[in-house]
Every structure is written in C-alpha cells, then in structure tokens.
C-alpha cells in the first residue's frame, strides 16, 4: 500500500526498512519463505512483464537494431538469474534451514546479475525511443526490479549469510 505524501522511491524505501526490521528477528523459515516468494515474483511476474514490454518496444521501433541486442542482454540476465535462484533454493536455503555449516561453501552473490540491469537501463536511456511511453515504462520496470534485487541481496547478505558465517565461526 502506498503511503500518502511519499514518492514511489520513498515509499519503497520505507516498506523496505519495515521488511528488513521484521526479517532480522524472524525465524529462518520466514526469511526463506520471503526470499522464495521474491524468486517466484521475479520469475512469473516481473520478468515476463519486462519481456512483454521489450517485445512491444521492438515492434514499435523495428528500425532500431540496438533494441534486440539490449533485449538479448536481458535474456542473458534472465538465464543467469534462473541459475542463481536454483543454487540458492536447492543449496543455500536448505543448508541455512538445516543449520548446516556447509552453506558457507555454497555462498553465491547477486553481483554477477546486478550489472546486467544497470547496463540495460543505461543502454535504453541512450535510445532515440526514450520519449516513448513504452520505453519509459520499461525503464521504470527495470529500475524497480533493480531496487527489489538490492533489497533481496541485503536480506541474503545481512540475515542469511551472517547467520551462516556465525555458525561457521563457532
């Protein structure tokens, strides 16, 4: 729900802090459920919407050969995310829930995926179609997705990985 008087970014940051505070003291099963729900949202809601807008933009601007190239970069990002999600859900989260020290060896980072979104956004902002509503919507979707990934990464790094490292040092 949107808090009146706040911009979209301020509202996201406000909600983000509430989520961080809640999850910091939550049971591991709640943390993992939240992270898995984020994965589901990425895979079945955000990425398909972004794909759909990319395809629409490419159809609107067939004279721009760079758009399919940027879209291919997004597809590469999508594949990297799917692999990343699989590793997290099959190894990291299971080890975290099982209170296992093995999770530390399986630690993976989002750093490999995040630059893709920055690059895609920067490339789209250089296109002549920037003033088109489809393009502006696509950029907004990518920026919101990037913000959600940053939040997701914070939760993994500051809750999941810290607990794993704490167990590993014992």
């Amino acid at each position: 729900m949107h808090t009146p008087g706040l911009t979209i970014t301020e509202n996201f940051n406000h909600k983000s802090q509430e989520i961080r505070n809640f999850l910091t003291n939550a049971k591991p099963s709640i943390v993992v459920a939240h992270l898995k729900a984020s994965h589901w949202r990425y895979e079945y809601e955000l990425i398909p919407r972004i794909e759909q807008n990319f395809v629409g933009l490419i159809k609107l601007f067939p004279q721009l050969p760079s758009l399919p190239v940027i879209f291919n970069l997004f597809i590469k990002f999508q594949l990297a995310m799917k692999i990343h999600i699989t590793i997290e859900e099959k190894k990291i989260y299971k080890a975290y829930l099982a209170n296992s020290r093995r999770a530390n060896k399986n630690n993976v980072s989002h750093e490999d995926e995040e630059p893709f979104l920055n690059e895609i956004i920067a490339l789209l902002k250089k296109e002549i179609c920037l003033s088109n509503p489809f393009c502006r919507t696509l950029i907004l979707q990518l920026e919101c997705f990037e913000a959600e990934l940053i939040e997701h990464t914070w939760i993994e790094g500051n809750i999941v990985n810290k607990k794993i490292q704490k167990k590993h040092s014992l």
Side-chain angles (χ1 to χ4, degrees), residues 13 20 92 95 103 115-116 141:
N13 291 337
R20 288 178 181 189
I92 309 284
F116 280 116
Q141 286 175 318

Side-chain angles (χ1 to χ4, degrees), residues 53-78:
N53 278 340
F54 254 118
V55 170
L57 194 62
I58 290 167
K59 286 180 181 178
L60 280 173
F61 294 93
Q63 74 279 13
L64 295 178
S66 55
L67 288 178
V69 174
I70 299 170
F71 180 59
N72 283 337
L73 186 58
F74 180 75
I75 297 299
K76 184 177 179 181
F77 161 81
Q78 179 184 9

Side-chain angles (χ1 to χ4, degrees), residues 32 35-36 39 82-108 156 160-161 164 167:
V32 169
L35 293 170
K36 284 185 171 184
H39 289 167
K82 283 185 179 189
I83 292 167
H84 183 90
I85 287 169
T86 300
I87 292 168
E88 284 182 344
E89 291 187 359
K90 293 194 181 214
K91 295 185 179 185
I92 309 284
Y93 298 165
K94 283 185 179 183
Y96 171 63
L97 289 171
N99 227 7
S100 171
R101 293 181 184 172
R102 289 182 306 131
N104 196 44
K105 295 177 186 173
N106 297 323
N107 194 8
V108 294
E156 288 175 343
V160 175
N161 292 338
I164 290 169
K167 285 183 228 174

